[in-house]
Amino acid sequence: MLSTLLSYFTQYGYWVVFFGVMLENAGVPVPGETILLAAGFFAAGGHFNIAIVMAVACLGAVLGDNFGYFIGHKVGRATLLRYGRYVGLTPKRLAMFEAFFESHGDKTILVARFITGLRVFAALLAGAAGMRWRTFAIYNFLGAVLWSITITFAGYFFGHSWHLLERWIGGIGAGALAAIVVVGVAIFLVRRRRRLAAEAAAESEEIDPALTLP
């Protein structure tokens, strides 16, 4: 993959970084993080300017996430539930992510792009969940800046160990995603248990009008 990406960089320059990152953050399953790692590696060889790579990646991430947010806001949860399975967003996974968003919405947007799997769907879920755009925009921009700098530098300094680097970063993302899934399941089950308990208590408090005294 690295040799293929480097040939694309030679032909199309920074546009590969911009569109790769933007499409992934808009909800399209494109390997944007891998593209950015390769761009950092390309910059280490003097073929790219590292500051421009970071700026282009940040711009692509912000635009892509905002596009994904407005898609999620417009189509809503029902559409994501109906068609999400075609891109890996199953109903069970959607419920887990939603439970996590309800408790940690702003912080989720900040760190979501570092997490494999959640990075693709975070903006869509934020829009569908009705998160305020201003809140989303602030945390999204901060996350985009941190992610662009971190991943570009990782490719720049450690690109000579490309396969190890890609596997290491992917492993961290997978581990973080697994932790979020576990937390999401726990939140979902606790809230479900509380809701059932509240419904049972409400039913027990109801008094049959036929049994009341005049």
Side-chain angles (χ1 to χ4, degrees):
M1 179 179 288
L2 179 59
S3 59
T4 301
L5 287 174
L6 295 183
S7 68
Y8 285 151
F9 291 152
T10 302
Q11 288 182 283
Y12 305 108
Y14 297 104
W15 289 109
V16 180
V17 180
F18 175 76
F19 282 109
V21 171
M22 184 186 70
L23 290 174
E24 183 186 44
N25 285 271
V28 180
V30 173
E33 186 172 78
T34 300
I35 291 173
L36 187 54
L37 280 171
F41 174 75
F42 205 53
H47 304 289
F48 273 165
N49 182 298
I50 190 171
I52 296 178
V53 170
M54 292 176 182
V56 169
C58 183
L59 178 62
V62 170
L63 291 179
D65 271 336
N66 276 277
F67 187 65
Y69 172 89
F70 286 114
I71 289 177
H73 183 71
K74 188 170 183 63
V75 303
R77 183 183 185 278
T79 302
L80 291 181
L81 192 61
R82 182 180 304 171
Y83 298 106
R85 63 180 181 274
Y86 296 112
V87 291
L89 187 61
T90 62
K92 185 177 180 180
R93 186 174 294 174
L94 178 60
M96 294 174 185
F97 286 160
E98 283 180 331
F100 195 83
F101 257 91
E102 288 179 11
S103 299
H104 310 285
D106 51 0
K107 293 181 285 294
T108 301
I109 292 299
L110 181 64
V111 303
R113 66 186 69 254
F114 290 93
I115 301 171
T116 304
L118 186 56
R119 178 171 56 253
V120 180
F121 303 122
L124 290 169
L125 294 174
M131 178 182 287
R132 290 181 60 195
W133 178 80
R134 182 177 298 178
T135 301
F136 170 82
I138 293 172
Y139 283 95
N140 173 55
F141 176 75
L142 293 175
V145 171
L146 293 173
W147 179 77
S148 300
I149 292 174
T150 301
I151 302 302
T152 303
F153 271 136
Y156 186 87
F157 289 115
F158 304 106
H160 58 279
S161 303
W162 173 258
H163 298 293
L164 178 62
L165 174 65
E166 189 178 22
R167 185 164 57 249
W168 180 70
I169 289 181
I172 291 177
L177 179 60
I180 283 186
V181 169
V182 171
V183 173
V185 170
I187 294 173
F188 178 76
L189 293 176
V190 168
R191 291 188 174 180
R192 183 172 180 272
R193 179 176 296 178
R194 288 178 179 175
R195 187 179 67 252
L196 293 175
E199 291 175 356
E203 290 178 0
S204 65
E205 291 177 359
E206 290 181 357
I207 301 175
D208 189 346
L211 298 179
T212 58
L213 295 174

